[in-house]
Structures are given as structure tokens and as C-alpha cells.
Amino acid sequence: MRDVPLILVGFMGCGKSTVGRLLAQRLDWPFVDLDDQIEAAAGRTIREIFESSGEAEFRRQERVALQALLASATQDPHRVIALGGGTFVQPDNFELLQSASVRSLFLDVPFDELYQRCAQMTNRPLFRDAQAFADLYRRRLPFYQQAQYTIAAAAADPEQIVDRIVERIACPQMSLGKR
Ligand code: S3P
């Protein structure tokens, strides 16, 4: 199997950025966070985009950033990419990612743990209250579950989650640790 970008998906707070950064270090591949790309292109934080332009405009910018990232990954597939929590569940993005040459990995963390983690952070525009958070999770879970790999990511040291990912995706043809 040839190398393809590794795409981390999952709900807010599941650890996509933390695990993604460590996974990238382990593979010696670059790490790209889609939210950072959106902020850099817009010159505004995600919160500012939501507040001044609304979610629909954020989703438009998110799609543009995703398309650019996937286009550049056709030149060099050695990337670990963390999506935002909503990226994979937008139908257009879902179709694009399911047909792209990538491996998608769902970081599966139980709802209660996600809630505890996100309740302590203030930078998530879609975190409003427990009921809205639960509804969003319930609507999104069926999308995440269609990722190619589901990785149990509850209450574990991020390095252990990286171990699990590497075990699951490792195969002799994949040049782990090399660019
Ligand atoms: C979002 C999650 C955020 C960010 C934006 C929208 C979502 O990313 O993309 O606030 O729709 O769940 P994280 O999952 O990294 O928090």
C-alpha cells in the first residue's frame, strides 16, 4: 500500500490536534491543522469568523482550505492532517474525503469525556450548552463512524493513542518514519 495522507476526524475535544502533532513527529511527516489554515487564510480566529460572518461563511472557508490541502497532498502525501470537528460531517466534504486518496481515522472518545474536556475551554463557538452539545454529537457520530479506522481514544495518554494508530496502519510497504 502506498503512503497517503492520514486524516484525523472526530468531535470537538477528541484530541485531533494533540494526537495529530505527536503522530506526525513519530512518522517524521509534517502536521497540518485545518483550523490553523483557515485562520491564517482569513487573518482572523475561528471565533471571530463565526461571530462576524456566521457559520455558513466559516463552512465555506473550511471547504476552500480543505480543497487546497488535498490538492497540495497530491504532490506530497506525507502529511498528518487534523480536521475541525465539523469538517467531515459536511456532506460535500464527506464525499470529497471518502473518494480522495487518504486514510481517515476517527478518534473515538465517549460523549461524557468530550463534554468534560470542552466545558473547560472557551474557544469553541459551537459549544453552547449540554443539550446542544449532545444533539450535535448524536447527529455527527454516524459520519465519524464511516471513517476508515476507528481508534479508541478515551482517557489515554496521547502517546498510547499514537501507538494504537501506528499499529493499525502499519504495513511493510508504508515507509513509517521516513519522508
Ligand atoms: C467545529 C470544531 C472546531 C472548529 C470550529 C467548528 C465544529 O474544531 O473547526 O469551531 O463544527 O465542531 P475542533 O474540533 O478542533 O474544536
Side-chain angles (χ1 to χ4, degrees):
M1 196 187 295
R2 66 195 173 82
D3 290 349
V4 293
L6 301 176
I7 312 265
L8 298 182
V9 310
F11 206 65
M12 287 173 257
C14 72
K16 299 177 293 290
S17 303
T18 305
V19 171
R21 212 164 263 118
L22 292 173
L23 177 62
Q25 276 171 18
R26 185 83 67 89
L27 302 180
D28 194 17
W29 289 10
F31 170 69
V32 188
D33 191 309
L34 186 67
D35 282 342
D36 291 346
Q37 301 289 110
I38 298 166
E39 291 188 339
R44 296 190 288 170
T45 64
I46 303 281
R47 177 168 278 283
E48 287 166 349
I49 300 171
F50 267 81
E51 281 172 2
S52 59
S53 311
E55 181 172 352
E57 172 57 18
F58 169 76
R59 295 296 169 204
R60 193 195 64 75
Q61 295 183 20
E62 180 180 56
R63 173 143 180 98
V64 170
L66 178 65
Q67 285 170 322
L69 205 50
L70 292 178
S72 72
T74 57
Q75 309 299 316
D76 182 356
H78 300 96
R79 304 217 167 151
V80 176
I81 298 170
L83 300 185
T87 320
F88 196 62
V89 309
Q90 309 305 312
D92 287 358
N93 297 341
F94 182 77
E95 258 176 47
L96 181 66
L97 286 158
Q98 293 296 66
S99 62
S101 237
V102 299
R103 282 194 243 187
S104 52
L105 300 112
F106 166 39
L107 297 188
D108 189 12
V109 173
F111 176 78
D112 288 347
E113 195 176 330
L114 294 170
Y115 183 75
Q116 292 305 323
R117 290 186 195 176
C118 289
Q120 290 161 19
M121 300 176 199
T122 56
N123 61 342
R124 290 190 161 89
L126 289 179
F127 184 84
R128 284 187 284 271
D129 55 65
Q131 190 56 54
F133 195 74
D135 289 347
L136 199 58
Y137 177 79
R138 209 186 40 247
R139 284 205 302 275
R140 289 178 171 183
L141 188 59
F143 286 89
Y144 300 139
Q145 287 172 332
Q146 293 176 70
Q148 287 162 296
Y149 300 80
T150 293
I151 308 293
D157 171 7
E159 290 285 3
Q160 286 175 345
I161 299 170
V162 172
D163 292 341
R164 283 179 203 157
I165 293 174
V166 170
E167 273 168 33
R168 290 282 301 281
I169 62 177
C171 66
Q173 291 86 348
M174 190 168 182
S175 52
L176 292 177
K178 294 193 205 95
R179 289 269 344 248

